[in-house]
Amino acid sequence: QVQLVESGGGLVQPGGSLRLSCAASGSIFGINAMGWHRQAPGKQREFVAGISNGSLKYADSVKGRFTISGDNAKNTVYLQMNSLKPDDTAVYYCNAGSSLGRIVVGTGNYWGQGTQVTVSS
């Protein structure tokens, strides 16, 4: 089993920044990609960003504002979120799986519990 623990969410004003972290532990053999999805109230969960062996993918809505990165030594992936907008308000979920393609479509095998991000003045 793989455990994913997210941290870094919170309340921020529009235009502000937050950095989310997702640490993986357990039987991580076979985990080749990690990423982030988010779900706003009343909306479906959507892909945000993914990373695998240096390849990066972003949703169009966050390109130029969000940056995903990873630290293999710590089995941790980060999401730096800048220029935050109220529309970015959502629960952010970490996803891990065998390929970046699976992360993009949300079929990575493992999910974290989620961390709330609220953008409001």
Side-chain angles (χ1 to χ4, degrees), residues 15-66:
S17 299
L18 282 175
R19 189 176 83 152
L20 306 182
S21 300
C22 173
S25 62
S27 301
I28 62 172
F29 177 81
I31 298 298
N32 297 312
M34 293 180 70
W36 295 91
H37 288 247
R38 67 186 181 186
Q39 187 166 19
K43 295 186 177 180
Q44 289 188 328
R45 191 175 296 188
E46 64 177 0
F47 169 74
V48 176
I51 184 170
S52 176
N53 297 322
S55 294
L56 308 177
K57 285 281 189 181
Y58 294 97
D60 287 344
S61 59
V62 306
K63 281 181 181 177
R65 300 188 299 121
F66 291 10

